[in-house]
Amino acid sequence: MRTKFSFLFICLSLFLTCFANYQPNWESLDKRPLPEWYDDAKIGIFIHWGVFSVPSYGYRNAGEWFWYRWKITASPAEAIFMDANYRPDFQYADFAPQFTAEFYNSNAWADLFKASGAGYVVLTSKHHEGYTNWPSVNSWNWNSMDVGPKRDLVGELEKSVRKRTSLHFGLYHSLYEWFNPLYQKDRANGFTTQDFIRTKTMPELYDIVKRYKPELIWSDGQWEADSSYWNSTYFIAWLYNSSPVKDTIVTNDRWGKDTLCKHGGYLTCSDHYNPGVLQERKWENAMTIDKDSWGYRRNAVLSDYITIEYLLQQLVTTISCNGNFLLNIGPAKDGTIPVVYEERLRQMGQWLQMNGEAVYGSKPWKYQNDTTNQHAWYTAKQGGDVVYAFLFQWSQSVTLRSPLASSSSATVDLLGGKPSLVWMPLKEKGVKIEIPAWSNAKWVMVLRLTGFK
Ligand SMILES: *[C@@H]1O[C@H](CO)[C@@H](O)[C@H](O)[C@H]1NC(C)=O
Ligand SMILES: *[C@@H]1O[C@H](CO)[C@@H](O)[C@H](O)[C@H]1NC(C)=O
């Protein structure tokens, strides 16, 4: 009797765990709570890698869209590039054997991602070109085992990432494929047929989940058809109810042209999304170190890459407003990570070593930013007893209007620098803090305010 009762009690208190049964519709799927690891991690590394990493070219334009711009938009830049460098009958598929990945070392990649301070990694399993970075049986001769590296790129990274316990493994997956004849046929039929879904998209999505057990699916390429065409609510219901990752899987919002910024796990809304004001629902700022491109571009110049200051300002404004920060790099076709990307990731890691307590597991505060002589943004911990203020510029003293000291024993510390800074409450409202002339802090300074509200 007693055992039965406590079992029932546990199930009632963990209702969702014991009886989770989501229906294949958005109303039901949207009710699932987001697994906590995602919000706690705050920062992910996005990796765009594929056959597009071979031409690795885009004139002020995304390199991973090369094929589309060359063939569909008939962009002059891509046509000139091809005429100048390749024989006349060279096809996009001819790039695939040059996707060699001879320096690809997934352990070294995972070490770098760990050193960056990120908590998760999202690799393109398949971009819009349709080439799969794993040996998909549904992608004959257009996968990384048959042509190009002759390796399971996804599987190698999965193993390396899993060995580093601070990292979660995720996969990007494009629903649509520009040139897949089955997709083109479904589209010509006004999406009333689903042959492409039945034989390609769905078998592959189930395959990557069963093989690699990702904890995040970053869906994309949804915009031409409704989620009913993609069958995505059925797939997500399976993910949440009975997949091998049902308790930890996190999804985004790109599952049909009816879903962006509305349905799914968390919201991405648009690339580089950063609304600047608090959002009630968890969201993600997917942004990239090369301002113009997600895939690597050999023709990028230094000014095309964001600075560490800009990067950290994006990170801070994002997490202050309840977002996660997904920072993209584009490895080269040989598997190297170009050193400017590496430098940004290591700089971010260096900053997080000092300031991570203001980032990981933090929550938005009641105020997100402040009117001061600086740009100041906030996060909080422990129900708001500890408030962190991020300052984008140094000055001798800073005036913050929003934090109010609860008592004279309230303290202000500079992370990585001097503890117990001199502060005084302001008559009008807020606090004035003296900032030491020298400190280890750089790029963005973080003040820890304890005993303020
Ligand atoms: C959609 O998913 C359901 C449930 O798995 C399945 O029965 C149906 O065949 C799928 N449709 C397509 C086109 O894949
Ligand atoms: C906070 O930031 C937003 C967006 O950057 C800006 O529009 C707003 O003026 C800022 N608020 C204050 C009080 O500075």
Side-chain angles (χ1 to χ4, degrees):
M1 197 61 197
R2 206 187 147 82
T3 343
K4 213 168 173 183
F5 175 78
S6 38
F7 171 75
L8 201 69
F9 180 76
I10 291 164
C11 276
L12 284 175
S13 52
L14 299 170
F15 184 73
L16 291 165
T17 326
C18 287
F19 300 111
N21 190 20
Y22 295 96
Q23 304 302 307
N25 61 61
W26 293 118
E27 204 203 334
S28 174
L29 298 173
D30 286 348
K31 291 206 177 95
R32 178 177 179 259
L34 205 58
E36 260 168 47
W37 73 260
Y38 176 79
D39 181 38
D40 288 345
K42 294 286 190 265
I43 301 163
I45 303 296
F46 211 178
I47 309 157
H48 274 68
W49 202 31
V51 172
F52 51 80
S53 312
V54 176
S56 46
Y57 175 81
Y59 181 67
R60 297 194 176 140
N61 235 308
E64 74 284 358
W65 276 71
F66 185 93
W67 193 6
Y68 186 91
R69 294 177 53 75
W70 178 28
K71 295 294 178 186
I72 308 255
T73 14
S75 149
E78 279 72 15
I80 292 166
F81 171 85
M82 289 309 295
D83 285 350
N85 300 297
Y86 295 90
R87 55 169 210 269
D89 59 345
F90 194 94
Q91 297 298 308
Y92 187 81
D94 296 327
F95 284 126
Q98 298 174 28
F99 183 26
T100 46
E102 67 268 40
F103 294 124
Y104 176 44
N105 177 343
S106 57
N107 280 320
W109 281 27
D111 282 338
L112 173 61
F113 303 151
K114 189 179 166 192
S116 79
Y120 57 105
V121 172
V122 182
L123 169 69
T124 47
S125 64
K126 180 194 81 172
H127 202 258
H128 313 323
E129 63 187 13
Y131 180 90
T132 65
N133 281 336
W134 85 99
S136 167
V137 295
N138 305 97
S139 190
W140 181 79
N141 213 29
W142 197 230
N143 69 74
S144 65
M145 194 60 86
D146 288 349
V147 58
K150 307 272 169 76
R151 289 161 70 175
D152 177 0
L153 306 177
V154 173
E156 289 181 34
L157 189 63
E158 185 239 339
K159 285 197 185 66
S160 300
V161 164
R162 287 261 148 78
K163 272 190 233 144
R164 283 134 188 101
T165 48
S166 60
L167 293 172
H168 295 262
F169 184 67
L171 288 172
Y172 168 104
H173 172 271
S174 173
L175 294 168
Y176 92 148
E177 295 173 20
W178 295 316
F179 299 101
N180 190 303
L182 285 174
Y183 178 65
Q184 289 174 328
K185 202 195 81 200
D186 284 350
R187 182 170 50 196
N189 291 336
F191 297 114
T192 55
T193 53
Q194 287 175 295
D195 293 347
F196 175 65
I197 304 306
R198 193 168 296 111
T199 57
K200 189 71 166 56
T201 302
M202 280 305 148
E204 287 191 339
L205 268 175
Y206 284 91
D207 187 29
I208 56 173
V209 172
K210 288 174 185 163
R211 271 189 208 234
Y212 307 113
K213 303 180 180 58
E215 290 173 274
L216 194 156
I217 301 265
W218 213 100
S219 182
D220 195 22
Q222 81 291 354
W223 46 79
E224 291 187 346
D226 280 338
S227 53
S228 56
Y229 168 72
W230 300 114
N231 219 28
S232 30
T233 53
Y234 287 91
F235 171 68
I236 299 174
W238 172 78
L239 264 186
Y240 292 177
N241 289 334
S242 46
S243 79
V245 285
K246 66 186 170 64
D247 298 324
T248 52
I249 189 76
V250 168
T251 62
N252 70 350
D253 58 349
R254 301 189 181 192
W255 297 100
K257 71 175 175 194
D258 50 329
T259 69
L260 187 68
C261 223
K262 258 193 223 130
H263 299 302
Y266 64 80
L267 307 181
T268 65
C269 300
S270 63
D271 295 354
H272 302 269
Y273 181 61
N274 190 3
V277 291
L278 182 65
Q279 305 293 302
E280 207 180 301
R281 249 177 100 172
K282 189 70 199 177
W283 59 279
E284 184 178 67
N285 177 1
M287 53 113 51
T288 174
I289 292 177
D290 176 346
K291 291 174 212 163
D292 292 330
S293 184
W294 302 80
Y296 176 51
R297 294 185 308 140
R298 286 172 296 150
N299 60 312
V301 296
L302 188 60
S303 59
D304 291 337
Y305 295 96
I306 58 170
T307 61
I308 183 63
E309 288 84 359
Y310 179 83
L311 185 158
L312 292 175
Q313 289 172 16
Q314 285 287 312
L315 164 61
V316 165
T317 53
T318 296
I319 63 170
S320 292
C321 299
N322 201 26
N324 263 27
F325 187 65
L326 183 62
L327 182 66
N328 177 74
I329 60 164
K333 67 166 184 136
D334 58 12
T336 54
I337 293 175
V339 291
V340 177
Y341 290 119
E342 182 187 346
E343 182 180 49
R344 289 300 168 278
L345 297 194
R346 292 199 187 279
Q347 287 172 323
M348 179 169 76
Q350 202 187 334
W351 183 82
L352 283 162
Q353 282 262 319
M354 188 180 283
N355 302 296
E357 70 162 88
V359 174
Y360 305 121
S362 69
K363 300 285 173 219
W365 193 39
K366 58 185 165 181
Y367 301 103
Q368 279 64 61
N369 56 348
D370 209 302
T371 327
T372 56
N373 55 346
Q374 322 245 342
H375 287 288
W377 289 76
Y378 298 110
T379 60
K381 268 200 178 155
Q382 293 144 14
D385 290 348
V386 179
V387 175
Y388 297 95
F390 301 79
L391 308 177
F392 293 172
Q393 287 157 35
W394 182 86
S395 68
Q396 274 187 319
S397 70
V398 59
T399 301
L400 301 174
R401 293 287 170 196
S402 308
L404 305 175
S406 327
S407 76
S408 57
S409 61
T411 53
V412 180
D413 308 305
L414 175 63
L415 296 191
K418 233 173 139 258
S420 299
L421 304 187
V422 176
W423 63 270
M424 62 178 114
L426 292 172
K427 252 200 225 97
E428 315 87 293
K429 192 173 179 282
V431 58
K432 186 175 178 194
I433 302 160
E434 304 296 330
I435 308 287
W438 183 90
S439 84
N440 289 323
K442 57 181 174 184
W443 303 319
V444 169
M445 268 191 200
V446 185
L447 303 177
R448 178 180 50 225
L449 292 84
T450 313
F452 285 77
K453 55 181 186 336

